[in-house]
Amino acid sequence: MDMIFNDGVITLKNQESFEPKHVFECGQCFRWKALDDGSYTGVVDKYILNVFKVDNDIHIKGLDERTFSDFFVNYFDLKTNYDKIKKELIIDDIMKTCVEFGNGIRILKQDKFETLISFIISANNRIPMIARSIKELSKNFGQRITDDYYMFPKVIDLAKASISEIEACGVGFRAKYIQAACQKIINEGYDLDYIASLETHKCREELIEFAGVGPKVSDCVMLFSMNKYDLFPTDVWVKRICESLYFKGETNINSIHDFAKEKYGNLGGYAQQYLFYYARENKI
DNA sequence: TCCCAGGACTACT
DNA sequence: AGTAGTCCTGGG
């Protein structure tokens, strides 16, 4: 990887498969915000960073070199060859269209606990509301970074919150799920690192033990924070685009899972991201 | 006012 | 085993 560190800015040269808009607006994360200049600022762990692209170069502000190589090379999944993945995925014209449209998508490697809570909040919810809730949870129960930015809460701190305190963050009926998830981890010994080490099916079974986590949320948690890609999170958007482009009619979740497993196998998670982004940006 | 949104749960057959 | 109704919240 061609990396230059100069005057507090990290520059990655020739990043065709890294488009900030695609990465941060493909539905995987909720703490990145587009600024008026087209750059994106995000809170990741205790870091606040700004990312933008000029020509084919990615620029990252807010990190020292050491933090970048120790933490963010992994976070941005920079060691993965997306050209190869995209080549393998383009086995039909529909996926070709979606991959070309979301060319710069990368699947971030996010924190397990933050992803679990974030996607519990996502159930039957809208993105702005999800982002707002996460921001409030962080402000109320996370460590302060600056006056404007707070870390996502640690399990131990969020576990101390009452249901009504969690509700006050705007999460609605999901407050009890959030509290229960924290307590399951703290009191019942549920270990997300251990769960992540299990193979996909077993991992899903364990995640679904959390109240408020069903098939779709579990698959998102695995895809976005547990390095599992042999799955196909199927929300209404993905269901809709599969029905309209592949099935040419109504079908059910199981049929879509079977279809995706057959067609995309171990790359299902990537395929889902290109389909989802295309579907949502084009309002299919 | 009603409807619904990036699902899951509960209470029914 | 499979399926309606319900759920906080807030924007159309």
Side-chain angles (χ1 to χ4, degrees):
Chain A
M1 181 179 39
D2 203 354
M3 195 268 277
I4 302 162
F5 185 74
N6 186 24
D7 199 22
V9 181
I10 289 158
T11 298
L12 311 173
K13 305 290 285 182
N14 305 318
Q15 296 292 317
E16 287 182 23
S17 293
F18 189 151
E19 183 59 50
K21 178 179 165 61
H22 298 172
V23 172
F24 303 126
E25 297 188 17
C26 71
Q28 59 181 328
C29 53
F30 303 100
R31 301 207 74 191
W32 285 89
K33 192 175 181 328
L35 307 187
D36 291 337
D37 61 7
S39 70
Y40 285 81
T41 292
V43 189
V44 182
D45 196 78
K46 63 185 174 190
Y47 307 104
I48 303 161
L49 55 159
N50 181 263
V51 176
F52 58 100
K53 191 172 188 178
V54 178
D55 298 324
N56 242 350
D57 300 339
I58 290 289
H59 303 280
I60 302 173
K61 289 195 287 192
L63 301 177
D64 60 62
E65 207 169 349
R66 178 71 184 274
T67 303
F68 174 75
S69 53
D70 286 356
F71 189 100
F72 284 92
V73 168
N74 178 61
Y75 176 80
F76 287 119
D77 199 20
L78 295 175
K79 293 285 177 65
T80 297
N81 185 347
Y82 278 78
D83 288 337
K84 182 162 177 284
I85 290 171
K86 287 187 279 192
K87 245 173 220 163
E88 289 178 28
L89 277 180
I90 299 178
I91 49 181
D92 60 70
D93 289 342
I94 295 168
M95 186 54 72
K96 185 169 189 289
T97 302
C98 294
V99 166
E100 283 171 359
F101 183 80
N103 176 53
I105 288 175
R106 312 184 71 82
I107 298 185
L108 300 171
K109 292 179 184 291
Q110 302 184 71
D111 178 75
K112 300 174 188 71
F113 177 64
E114 177 172 342
T115 305
L116 174 66
I117 300 301
S118 297
F119 280 89
I120 285 176
I121 295 171
S122 80
N124 196 29
N125 209 347
R126 291 182 168 86
I127 295 173
M129 292 295 299
I130 301 166
R132 200 191 73 173
S133 294
I134 292 169
K135 193 174 178 183
E136 285 301 305
L137 282 174
S138 302
K139 188 167 184 176
N140 292 333
F141 305 107
Q143 283 179 245
R144 177 184 169 282
I145 307 171
T146 69
D147 284 345
D148 295 325
Y149 294 102
Y150 290 77
M151 287 177 68
F152 190 83
K154 302 295 177 200
V155 193
I156 190 78
D157 294 323
L158 195 51
K160 292 173 192 159
S162 68
I163 288 185
S164 59
E165 285 174 323
I166 299 173
E167 269 176 356
C169 298
V171 300
F173 64 89
R174 308 163 193 86
K176 56 183 179 293
Y177 300 149
I178 294 171
Q179 193 196 49
C182 294
Q183 293 184 346
K184 214 171 182 62
I185 293 168
I186 299 290
N187 301 327
E188 297 178 39
Y190 273 70
D191 178 358
L192 294 178
D193 291 325
Y194 167 72
I195 291 173
S197 75
L198 302 169
E199 64 84 25
T200 303
H201 286 87
K202 189 68 191 164
C203 186
R204 180 183 292 114
E205 280 179 21
E206 292 288 317
L207 285 172
I208 286 177
E209 293 287 310
F210 288 96
V213 177
K216 191 270 175 179
V217 170
S218 69
D219 283 16
C220 283
V221 174
M222 288 192 283
L223 177 58
F224 300 138
S225 74
M226 295 183 170
N227 299 325
K228 304 208 183 298
Y229 305 95
D230 54 335
L231 36 73
F232 198 75
T234 306
D235 55 36
V236 292
W237 291 95
V238 173
K239 182 167 184 286
R240 216 147 45 206
I241 192 171
C242 285
E243 287 177 336
S244 99
L245 299 183
Y246 284 113
F247 284 78
K248 312 285 185 194
E250 284 190 20
T251 182
N252 55 58
I253 302 282
N254 284 335
S255 302
I256 292 176
H257 282 161
D258 292 345
F259 156 79
K261 190 179 174 62
E262 167 73 21
K263 200 167 175 66
Y264 303 115
N266 292 335
L267 298 179
Y270 298 100
Q272 185 266 5
Q273 280 309 102
Y274 293 112
L275 284 168
F276 173 80
Y277 184 67
Y278 182 83
R280 198 163 73 81
E281 293 288 314
N282 295 291
K283 305 192 188 310
I284 290 178

